[in-house]
Amino acid sequence: NAGVTQTPKFRILKIGQSMTLQCTQDMNHNYMYWYRQDPGMGLKLIYYSVGAGITDKGEVPNGYNVSRSTTEDFPLRLELAAPSQTSVYFCASSYWKRQGWTNYGYTFGSGTRLTVV
Amino acid sequence: AQSVTQLDSHVSVSEGTPVLLRCNYSSSYSPSLFWYVQHPNKGLQLLLKYTSAATLVKGINGFEAEFKKSETSFHLTKPSAHMSDAAEYFCVVSGGFKTIFGAGTRLFVKA
């Protein structure tokens, strides 16, 4: 049982380049999320998805795009990378039971450390 | 509306002494509450969760937390700290399909 798998683990980008961070989960969770964590800070939500074909913005969506064509995959696209996007990115998934809106907890990937120079 | 406040940004204890990490929350819903741990350069790992069952919740590695509705608190405790407990701890509240992460408490354990 792999849980949430993120690739790559590390990446260095030049300003203006683009890349896609991959995220896959095998727990059949309905919700998936992308967070960024800056040094000494908590987590900030970039985008989330409530199911295949449905995505929505979080707190800090500018400069990013997502798609969710399947339940398992939730890639994050960075267009025109900027130094402000230097961060650690975490993908997560969770199961929300709609009756009573109960969240049974998040499972996180191991993170992608991105540096933009 | 929901919010979560971790009352201490840093906590330092000696090995073998009790650990207390404090978390207060507010929620318009019947919330689910969680504690996560993050070791350096690692992802977040679920320690324990409260989802409207027993108010005293036991988690992994000897941690436990008590949901106190009257005090809107969900403090994390452990009877005896171990060096391997040194990490960042996050309190999380979920309700009405919104999830809020606390800012984190860094736990230092002295030998």
Side-chain angles (χ1 to χ4, degrees):
Chain A
N1 188 354
V4 176
T5 302
Q6 281 183 245
T7 56
K9 292 190 183 303
F10 303 93
R11 184 71 186 266
I12 298 175
L13 279 183
K14 293 184 178 179
I15 295 171
Q17 287 185 321
S18 61
M19 74 166 293
T20 299
L21 281 65
Q22 301 292 344
C23 176
T24 300
Q25 56 99 0
D26 63 358
M27 298 167 288
N28 202 31
H29 283 172
N30 44 5
Y31 289 79
M32 295 187 74
Y33 315 81
W34 276 104
Y35 288 90
R36 61 177 285 173
Q37 185 179 35
D38 298 320
M41 306 292 283
L43 295 169
K44 293 185 178 179
L45 181 63
I46 305 171
Y47 270 95
Y48 66 96
S49 168
V50 305
I54 306 170
T55 63
D56 207 348
K57 296 177 181 179
E59 303 171 71
V60 290
N62 291 342
Y64 307 95
N65 276 300
V66 294
S67 61
R68 184 131 180 242
S69 56
T70 66
T71 299
E72 295 79 17
D73 299 309
F74 190 44
L76 177 72
R77 177 86 177 159
L78 279 73
E79 305 282 1
L80 297 175
S84 61
Q85 293 178 304
T86 294
S87 189
V88 180
Y89 291 84
F90 289 102
C91 179
S93 69
S94 69
Y95 177 69
W96 278 85
K97 182 179 177 183
R98 286 183 171 80
Q99 183 179 7
W101 285 113
T102 301
N103 183 349
Y104 290 89
Y106 286 60
T107 299
F108 283 85
S110 57
T112 296
R113 188 174 296 276
L114 175 68
T115 302
V116 181
V117 296
Chain B
Q2 292 188 134
S3 68
V4 58
T5 302
Q6 292 184 242
L7 297 167
D8 306 290
S9 58
H10 300 86
V11 170
S12 182
V13 300
S14 297
E15 192 174 22
T17 64
V19 175
L20 170 64
L21 305 183
R22 299 182 295 164
C23 173
N24 287 350
Y25 73 93
S26 69
S27 179
S28 306
Y29 307 91
S30 295
S32 297
L33 293 158
F34 310 87
W35 276 98
Y36 286 84
V37 61
Q38 185 180 29
H39 291 278
N41 300 313
K42 300 288 186 183
L44 281 77
Q45 180 185 17
L46 180 64
L47 270 180
L48 50 79
K49 62 184 177 185
Y50 166 79
T51 54
S52 74
T55 56
L56 182 61
V57 182
K58 294 188 184 300
I60 61 172
N61 300 333
F63 284 95
E64 63 181 38
E66 186 171 6
F67 173 68
K68 292 187 176 180
K69 187 175 181 179
S70 61
E71 299 176 12
T72 61
S73 69
F74 190 58
H75 301 335
L76 181 69
T77 61
K78 183 173 180 178
S80 176
H82 191 273
M83 295 298 290
S84 61
D85 295 327
E88 186 94 17
Y89 292 79
F90 293 95
C91 181
V92 182
V93 59
S94 281
F97 179 51
K98 283 208 164 210
T99 296
I100 307 292
F101 282 77
T105 298
R106 183 163 294 278
L107 176 65
F108 297 93
V109 182
K110 298 175 289 187

